[in-house]
Amino acid sequence: MARTREFDPATALDAAMKVFWRNGYYATSIEDLVEATGVSRYGLYGVYENKHGLFLAALDHYMTTVVGELASVLHQQDASLDAIKNFVSRLGEFAAKPSGRIGCLLWNTASEVAPHDKVAARKVAEFRTYLSTGFEAALCTAVARGELSGGFDSKREADFLAGVVQTLAALARSHAEPRVITNFVSVSLGTLV
């Protein structure tokens, strides 16, 4: 007779995501995950196979919850210059707060795990593409509305802005002073002319 699952995988996944986000992949032990989720090692392995499987599921969960909530504004049909400025400014404000010092799970993964893990690297690349295409669409709308000059290179700027988002996460994770983060955001948004 099959045993019934005694935990909610979605709740456990959310808790695991937060541990990986705070500690990183390599510094997170299975014991950390058991403690945070309240689920035994065998329960977690029964659903996710191993720590790596749980980590990849946590990255997907991060994309659909945290990233989906924040970056979806760039993918709205009427997104334009204001949407970009608000999005980047919000990220900068978060990065400057003590709670923002954990950075971004996907960008943290880009430097910690992706160089050694093809699946994680693919997820990071998908995130970068998601950001770039959102920025590019909003920039094209801004050009069409006359908010930016007709010769504005939307693709080039979109790639730059995706890099800005990645750098903001690195600044936050390295505990840069709020002034540094504010200045970085201000100069970066100054390219939108």
Side-chain angles (χ1 to χ4, degrees):
M1 181 172 175
R3 289 181 55 186
T4 58
R5 185 174 292 144
E6 298 173 4
F7 68 96
D8 176 20
T11 302
L13 183 58
D14 193 66
M17 176 194 75
K18 290 173 183 169
V19 174
F20 285 125
W21 191 358
R22 184 180 60 249
N23 298 345
Y25 177 74
Y26 294 115
T28 296
S29 68
I30 193 63
E31 290 76 21
D32 295 331
L33 295 166
V34 166
E35 182 179 330
T37 62
V39 179
S40 74
R41 168 190 306 251
Y42 304 105
L44 290 173
Y45 285 0
V47 175
Y48 302 105
E49 294 186 28
N50 53 34
K51 175 183 159 182
H52 186 255
L54 179 55
F55 177 68
L56 295 176
L59 287 177
D60 290 339
H61 181 66
Y62 184 83
M63 277 292 292
T64 58
T65 56
V66 177
V67 172
E69 181 182 324
L70 290 173
S72 64
V73 66
L74 299 173
H75 291 271
Q76 294 176 0
Q77 187 173 2
D78 63 342
S80 189
L81 209 49
D82 282 345
I84 293 170
K85 289 178 179 179
N86 289 335
F87 173 71
V88 174
S89 294
R90 281 181 63 201
L91 289 180
E93 289 168 8
F94 176 72
K97 292 179 181 179
S99 60
R101 298 303 188 188
I102 59 176
C104 166
L105 178 58
L106 279 155
W107 293 136
N108 297 347
T109 299
S111 59
E112 181 194 16
V113 183
H116 319 287
D117 185 324
K118 290 180 182 180
V119 178
R122 188 183 76 244
K123 290 181 184 300
V124 168
E126 289 168 359
F127 177 46
R128 187 178 298 109
T129 299
Y130 178 74
L131 282 176
S132 290
T133 57
F135 280 130
E136 186 175 8
L139 290 165
C140 288
T141 300
V143 169
R145 290 181 180 172
E147 297 171 357
L148 295 168
S149 68
F152 190 85
D153 190 339
S154 296
K155 176 62 178 153
R156 180 174 166 246
E157 184 73 13
D159 290 342
F160 169 73
L161 289 170
V164 165
V165 172
Q166 186 168 0
T167 304
L168 269 173
L171 287 170
R173 190 78 172 176
S174 68
H175 295 241
E177 293 179 28
R179 172 191 53 78
V180 171
I181 293 170
T182 300
N183 289 341
F184 177 74
V185 168
S186 177
V187 171
S188 297
L189 292 178
T191 62
L192 297 173
V193 292

